[in-house]
Amino acid sequence: ADQLADRFLAYLAVEKGLAAKTLAAYGRDLAAFLDHCERAGREVTGVALADLVGFLEGEQQRGLSARSR
């Protein structure tokens, strides 16, 4: 899963030209989502919409604004 996240971030850096701070923020978000999947016993390649919704609801409960999510 970490390798997939790293490849995605590299794609964003090279192909989309995202700024370093944006990439760092995306990396933190991806790490948090991967942790959520691991705690739920889900492989990242088998993630369903419900997993993403559950993650976002958890972020909302932690007090993150929609813009931060």
Side-chain angles (χ1 to χ4, degrees):
D2 288 338
Q3 184 181 11
L4 288 174
D6 290 343
R7 288 177 59 196
F8 178 65
L9 292 171
Y11 161 79
L12 293 176
V14 173
E15 299 295 330
K16 299 297 182 181
L18 296 185
K21 288 183 180 184
T22 301
L23 291 169
Y26 281 21
R28 286 189 300 274
D29 293 341
L30 276 171
F33 180 64
L34 293 175
D35 184 57
H36 168 80
C37 291
E38 185 176 313
R39 286 191 318 265
R42 300 285 272 170
E43 292 289 328
V44 71
T45 55
V47 167
L49 180 59
D51 298 310
L52 183 55
V53 170
F55 170 72
L56 293 174
E57 287 174 345
E59 294 295 285
Q60 184 178 23
Q61 290 174 358
R62 285 189 22 216
L64 294 180
S65 70
R67 186 173 184 114
S68 296
R69 294 182 298 222

